[in-house]
Amino acid sequence: MHFINKPLTTLILSCCLVLSFSSFSQQILIGTVKGKLLETSQKPIEFATVALYKAADSTIVKGTITDSSGLYLFEKTAEGNYYIQASFLGYKTFTSKYFSINRSKHEINLENAILEADDKTLKAVIITAKKPLVEQQIDRTVLNIENSILSEGNTALELLEKAPGITVDDDGNISMKGKPGVSVMLNGKLTYLSQKELTTLLRGTSSGSVSKIELITNPSAKYDAAGNSGIINIVLKKNEKVGINGNVYVNGARSRANRYGGGASLNYRSGKFNIYGSYDHAYRGEIEYLSFTRRFYDGNVGGKPDRISYQNSETNEPLHTNNYKIGVDIFPDAKNTFGVLVNGNFGKYANDNNTTNLLVSSTGETLSNPLTHNDNLDRWKSNAYNFNYTYKLNQSGRELSVDLDYSQNDNRSNQNMDTRYLSAENSTVEARSVRRGYVPSLTNVYVGKIDYTHPFGEKAKLETGWKSSNVSVDNNLKYDTLRNEQWIPDPSWSNHFTYKETIHAGYINFSKQFGSVSVQAGLRGENTQTAGHQVTTDSLVKRQYFQLFPSLFVSKTFGPNHRGQFSYSRRIQRPDYDDMNPFRFFRDPFLYYEGNPFLKPELTHSVELSHTFKGKFITAINYSYTSDVMNWMMGQVDSLNTTYQSPQNLKSFINYGISFTASLQPASWWISNSFANFLRNDYKGDQKGGKLDNGIWSFSINSQNTFQLGKGFSAELSGFYNSRSVYGVFVSKGFYVISAGAQKQVLDKKGTIKLMVNDIFQTRQRRNTAKYENLDMDGHIRFDSRMATVSFSYRFGKDITPIRKRSPGSEDIQNRVKGGN
């Protein structure tokens, strides 16, 4: 860690302010042009397109649309000669006479423009430019989820499982190209949830509300430095069309249990403002089967075990979730945009778990067979409030944006664990242990950020900004034990833990094009202060550190078909709140999880070299080195027949590999996107007297195929395979998944019926082993992943897209958390 005073932080902030204030020294734009569009019957024409052209060379200067009164307005226009052109479907194009703007005549009121009906207009031919399912951009891979049949009826977490190069384990931890430590954003916004709460939120976010998913493997200095393996940005749908538009959908599904969902969105946009809102509800039934085999040794580890534990669990996990969003954008003129957004998520998630844990001797004799019933019910509500402002200083792209955010996440969990100990003959109950817990967790988040963009001509650009965030978490866990039919407080299990974190960050990012070579260099500085207070034992762990995070991107074009790119970045992954909270969570009396309040953040250096051929084939070689890598290590207490899991800092984690991406169109009706990744992961560390050195070569293949079958029919076929992989002391076996779906457009292409089956052969199963020191265990999880879904969606409203669009004021707040149980 580097402990540095605040001069550098102050310097970065000063640079931001100087650049921001300098932006007001622009040329003063003096003219205003306004007018009105009417039909021959003198009825106003709303939502018509109006463009302002230079008279000298007929180049377009500005564009706008008429409001409900047919009025249009161009403000702050430079001195010169102009004309306007207005058009609307079903009418002849109108072109005005030339007019001049100067200092003596700067308020132009044009005569009413009369648009005549075009009697020769044929039926409109609508050409739909549908985005491909997978787009390869220069710095990211974009999955256009709203175009996918196979996304229907899924959750956001399940969508990530299908993304190329992405793996999700049974606890919801996400890896990118084999590397853990991914930051997840929702609309570029930080949600500040713990890993458990984030997993619940992603499970509760319906695919019907997701527009696209962006995979950014090596982010620039503009983005938060957190996320060692990169950033995943989940972009939710937002209607940009003029007038009243909306969409409704409903779906039903069956896996091992029933599932259903539905939602609606509504948007109204005029020339001066945009109002939008949406609501989604989903119910997800889910049944999973888990089994663990653990071997215990009294002496000769690795030989014949003295005892073997066979644990089997069946979980019933119904999930009710609700998502809502309401917002307004105001466009008083072409320069200013104000926005207010309120969104949230609330629901409940139950985990009804029945577990048997048969313990036998080396000769097969039954030693014990406790039966445990775990009944956990999580209820949560998360509300986020955002105010944003964007000021476009001139037409050259100089822009200042401000975001203010506040969010509150309230998660409350009720836990009950009832264990009955059977006799050796499994006939009578020898003893009973009953415990209940109340786990409230409240997280408050305040974030403020300012960003400034300053182009220098068309080939150079400077970006700079400042961000401050403050997070506070309060978790007061209380447990009671049932004794003699009375509930008695259990201080040995109860725990009160609070956490506070403040981060101040500034960045500067400069890019310039030198002929066929493009260079982008950035530097981000983050000052972090944390305090974890174990109130129960009055133990306080405080940290303060300042880190610099440089980034560099160099790309060169070699002729029309080849492009090479080099990227480097230094990043950080801070411990989640869950990881640091030291309370114990028991699956049964012989298996528990606990946090580690002394965890240190991990730091990563990442390098990537890539080559793109014809924009369709990408080859990338990557390498990263992580120090103090955080990993959930497992341990075993043989004398108590108990296994536990706790996060620890290992010495290092090294990841390197090569990936191939191909975007092909084998036929006019067939588009295929495929991804292959060959990699090696190596974990090294000294834990509890043992020396960990676990590495393995792995590979994964992902293919997405879409077929246009004509007459409104289309289909999709996807599949992926993940080979054997390693995570800390765990080695997981390979598995594959194949899914297929079809859709038909109906009701004049405004309605869509979809039918799909995920994981047709129910092959998504997790099998892993762990052998380290005296730990010797196997695990097998059978997910509830085979699901048949039928859905219907209908969109309504005018299909008109405005010329002017609001640029979001905040796109770089990444998702990392605090709070949770």
Side-chain angles (χ1 to χ4, degrees):
M1 304 294 179
H2 299 284
F3 298 92
I4 299 178
N5 293 327
K6 299 183 179 178
L8 181 58
T9 302
T10 305
L11 177 61
I12 295 175
L13 177 59
S14 301
C15 291
C16 297
L17 295 176
V18 169
L19 288 170
S20 300
F21 286 125
S22 70
S23 62
F24 292 98
S25 61
Q26 298 299 297
Q27 174 187 4
I28 299 176
L29 304 179
I30 59 173
T32 299
V33 180
K34 58 184 177 180
K36 190 173 186 179
L37 294 187
L38 302 174
E39 297 181 8
T40 53
S41 63
Q42 299 298 305
K43 181 180 179 181
I45 300 177
E46 59 178 334
F47 309 129
T49 301
V50 184
L52 179 69
Y53 290 87
K54 287 184 179 180
D57 53 9
S58 293
T59 58
I60 188 169
V61 179
K62 298 180 180 180
T64 188
I65 55 175
T66 57
D67 62 15
S68 58
S69 301
L71 297 173
Y72 61 88
L73 174 68
F74 298 104
E75 295 183 304
K76 299 181 181 179
T77 305
E79 186 175 359
N81 298 320
Y82 301 93
Y83 68 91
I84 67 112
Q85 197 170 80
S87 61
F88 194 66
L89 184 65
Y91 294 84
K92 295 179 180 179
T93 300
F94 171 86
T95 303
S96 75
K97 298 178 180 179
Y98 289 2
F99 57 88
S100 299
I101 297 177
N102 51 53
R103 296 192 178 276
S104 61
K105 190 177 181 181
H106 54 83
E107 292 187 3
I108 308 298
N109 291 295
L110 297 177
E111 294 181 358
N112 292 342
I114 307 299
L115 269 64
E116 299 179 0
D118 190 353
D119 296 331
K120 297 181 180 180
T121 300
L122 300 176
K123 290 184 178 181
V125 178
I126 300 175
I127 301 175
T128 303
K130 187 176 180 180
K131 293 182 179 180
L133 181 59
V134 181
E135 285 186 286
Q136 292 294 335
Q137 299 182 3
I138 192 170
D139 63 339
R140 66 194 64 191
T141 300
V142 181
L143 309 178
N144 293 301
I145 297 301
E146 57 188 334
N147 296 333
S148 172
I149 302 171
L150 296 176
S151 68
E152 194 67 36
N154 283 274
T155 68
L157 190 66
E158 290 170 326
L159 294 178
L160 291 180
E161 293 171 353
K162 300 178 183 179
I166 302 299
T167 57
V168 182
D169 68 14
D170 48 291
D171 293 320
N173 298 299
I174 303 167
S175 298
M176 182 184 295
K177 288 189 174 182
K179 296 188 296 182
V182 179
S183 292
V184 179
M185 301 189 298
L186 292 177
N187 280 341
K189 292 293 182 182
L190 183 62
T191 61
Y192 291 95
L193 299 175
S194 68
Q195 177 59 53
K196 177 183 176 182
E197 291 175 330
L198 174 61
T199 300
T200 300
L201 177 63
L202 294 179
R203 280 183 180 142
T205 301
S206 168
S207 61
S209 61
V210 178
S211 171
K212 59 184 178 180
I213 297 176
E214 300 175 333
L215 311 177
I216 310 171
T217 57
N218 231 357
S220 70
K222 182 178 180 179
Y223 292 89
D224 288 61
N228 283 337
S229 61
I231 292 174
I232 297 175
N233 184 28
I234 300 175
V235 181
L236 303 180
K237 293 178 181 177
K238 181 180 178 182
N239 201 325
E240 294 284 349
K241 295 178 181 178
V242 171
I244 297 179
N245 294 273
N247 180 74
V248 293
Y249 76 92
V250 62
N251 60 58
R254 175 69 186 181
S255 57
R256 294 183 184 127
N258 292 322
R259 305 179 185 185
Y260 61 83
S265 63
L266 187 65
N267 181 88
Y268 175 74
R269 186 183 182 103
S270 71
K272 291 294 184 181
F273 62 89
N274 182 48
I275 300 176
Y276 55 93
S278 65
Y279 171 76
D280 298 280
H281 172 76
Y283 169 79
R284 174 190 175 87
E286 184 174 12
I287 298 173
E288 291 186 347
Y289 303 105
L290 304 86
S291 61
F292 301 95
T293 300
R294 300 192 293 273
R295 302 166 186 87
F296 301 98
Y297 303 87
D298 289 335
N300 184 20
V301 177
K304 187 177 180 180
D306 298 281
R307 297 170 308 283
I308 301 177
S309 167
Y310 299 98
Q311 178 180 327
N312 292 281
S313 298
E314 177 181 333
T315 67
N316 182 18
E317 306 174 39
L319 169 69
H320 297 262
T321 186
N322 303 270
N323 297 275
Y324 75 90
K325 176 176 61 179
I326 184 169
V328 59
D329 296 323
I330 302 174
F331 319 98
D333 51 49
K335 298 290 185 181
N336 297 279
T337 300
F338 298 88
V340 177
L341 172 65
V342 180
N343 58 14
N345 180 283
F346 61 95
K348 62 180 180 180
Y349 173 65
N351 188 312
D352 196 323
N353 185 340
N354 289 296
T355 300
T356 63
N357 197 337
L358 176 64
L359 183 68
V360 301
S361 67
S362 58
T363 60
E365 178 186 359
T366 298
L367 301 177
S368 66
N369 188 15
L371 307 178
T372 300
H373 176 73
N374 263 318
D375 182 9
N376 300 323
L377 178 61
D378 290 342
R379 297 180 182 271
W380 75 92
K381 54 183 178 180
S382 175
N383 297 294
Y385 309 88
N386 167 260
F387 168 80
N388 57 79
Y389 168 69
T390 302
Y391 179 65
K392 296 181 179 179
L393 285 82
N394 57 22
Q395 295 296 324
S396 65
R398 296 180 67 182
E399 182 176 291
L400 180 71
S401 63
V402 178
D403 268 80
L404 300 175
D405 292 270
Y406 167 71
S407 64
Q408 184 182 76
N409 303 290
D410 189 349
N411 191 307
R412 301 177 185 274
S413 177
N414 292 93
Q415 302 174 356
N416 295 277
M417 187 174 75
D418 186 345
T419 301
R420 293 177 297 147
Y421 297 87
L422 300 183
S423 64
E425 295 79 17
N426 293 328
S427 58
T428 59
V429 177
E430 294 184 339
R432 186 184 179 204
S433 172
V434 183
R435 187 176 280 113
R436 70 180 183 185
Y438 175 62
V439 189
S441 179
L442 183 65
T443 304
N444 287 287
V445 181
Y446 300 87
V447 179
K449 66 189 293 287
I450 180 170
D451 296 284
Y452 174 67
T453 302
H454 188 123
F456 295 93
E458 297 181 356
K459 296 185 178 182
K461 182 173 65 174
L462 176 70
E463 297 173 292
T464 186
W466 180 268
K467 175 185 172 183
S468 293
S469 63
N470 179 269
V471 182
S472 63
V473 180
D474 193 331
N475 186 307
N476 190 3
L477 167 68
K478 297 180 180 179
Y479 268 103
D480 300 322
T481 300
L482 185 64
R483 295 179 182 175
N484 299 322
E485 303 303 321
Q486 291 187 344
W487 291 107
I488 300 175
D490 191 340
S492 63
W493 276 47
S494 300
N495 179 68
H496 189 187
F497 184 72
T498 63
Y499 180 81
K500 294 183 179 180
E501 176 187 270
T502 301
I503 300 177
H504 299 294
Y507 75 90
I508 186 167
N509 207 48
F510 181 76
S511 59
K512 184 173 176 58
Q513 185 172 345
F514 303 90
S516 62
V517 178
S518 298
V519 178
Q520 177 180 284
L523 181 66
R524 186 179 186 91
E526 294 189 353
N527 184 72
T528 305
Q529 301 178 40
T530 66
H533 187 198
Q534 188 71 17
V535 179
T536 305
T537 60
D538 195 22
S539 174
L540 181 65
V541 178
K542 299 180 68 175
R543 296 188 188 276
Q544 180 174 355
Y545 49 92
F546 181 85
Q547 293 281 349
L548 291 174
F549 302 98
S551 63
L552 176 65
F553 302 82
V554 181
S555 64
K556 179 175 174 56
T557 301
F558 302 91
N561 295 327
H562 299 272
R563 182 183 184 90
Q565 180 164 313
F566 168 84
S567 62
Y568 162 78
S569 66
R570 183 175 188 257
R571 304 187 63 76
I572 189 172
Q573 184 72 15
R574 300 176 181 89
D576 287 350
Y577 164 75
D578 274 354
D579 297 344
M580 293 184 293
N581 193 344
F583 88 91
R584 294 180 176 180
F585 173 80
F586 283 77
R587 183 177 290 276
D588 66 28
F590 305 102
L591 176 62
Y592 68 86
Y593 309 85
E594 66 178 352
N596 178 3
F598 301 103
L599 279 177
K600 297 181 293 183
E602 57 187 43
L603 294 165
T604 297
H605 295 270
S606 296
V607 179
E608 184 171 280
L609 183 64
S610 65
H611 170 259
T612 303
F613 177 61
K614 291 187 176 181
K616 297 180 179 180
F617 304 93
I618 301 175
T619 304
I621 301 173
N622 64 279
Y623 172 86
S624 67
Y625 177 86
T626 302
S627 58
D628 292 322
V629 62
M630 294 178 289
N631 190 269
W632 277 85
M633 296 290 293
M634 212 156 202
Q636 193 164 280
V637 182
D638 292 276
S639 60
L640 300 176
N641 304 321
T642 299
T643 305
Y644 62 89
Q645 197 168 8
S646 175
Q648 304 291 329
N649 285 112
L650 303 181
K651 179 181 179 182
S652 66
F653 167 66
I654 299 175
N655 166 273
Y656 53 92
I658 182 170
S659 63
F660 304 93
T661 304
S663 299
L664 303 173
Q665 189 167 358
S668 60
W669 47 270
W670 177 14
I671 297 176
S672 177
N673 294 277
S674 300
F675 174 84
N677 188 32
F678 299 86
L679 63 104
R680 182 174 176 85
N681 285 340
D682 281 297
Y683 289 89
K684 297 183 184 296
D686 300 311
Q687 294 296 315
K688 301 184 182 300
K691 186 175 182 62
L692 175 66
D693 188 355
N694 203 6
I696 196 172
W697 280 99
S698 305
F699 71 92
S700 63
I701 299 174
N702 182 297
S703 182
Q704 302 274 349
N705 299 271
T706 59
F707 310 94
Q708 297 299 326
L709 306 179
K711 296 184 178 181
F713 284 94
S714 60
E716 279 185 36
L717 177 66
S718 76
F720 68 85
Y721 173 76
N722 291 332
S723 75
R724 209 165 59 112
S725 60
V726 63
Y727 175 76
V729 298
F730 292 94
V731 175
S732 297
K733 294 184 179 180
F735 67 96
Y736 71 94
V737 171
I738 295 177
S739 304
Q743 73 174 20
K744 173 71 167 69
Q745 292 183 328
V746 297
L747 302 177
D748 197 22
K749 295 186 178 181
K750 290 188 175 183
T752 303
I753 299 173
K754 296 180 180 180
L755 174 65
M756 51 83 66
V757 180
N758 261 325
D759 192 9
I760 296 173
F761 304 105
Q762 203 161 15
T763 48
R764 185 176 178 265
Q765 301 184 28
R766 182 87 58 186
R767 295 179 173 90
N768 53 33
T769 61
K771 293 185 178 182
Y772 176 71
E773 294 300 298
N774 64 324
L775 177 66
D776 186 354
M777 71 169 290
D778 301 318
H780 183 196
I781 302 175
R782 291 181 288 163
F783 298 100
D784 194 356
S785 54
R786 180 164 60 186
M787 177 181 64
T789 303
V790 61
S791 72
F792 173 75
S793 63
Y794 181 80
R795 59 182 177 85
F796 56 90
K798 296 183 178 180
D799 195 11
I800 305 171
T801 303
I803 293 176
R804 183 179 67 197
K805 292 183 180 181
R806 174 186 172 272
S807 297
S810 173
E811 298 178 336
D812 65 332
I813 306 176
Q814 60 80 38
N815 179 20
R816 187 202 143 247
V817 130
K818 307 287 161 293
N821 45 35

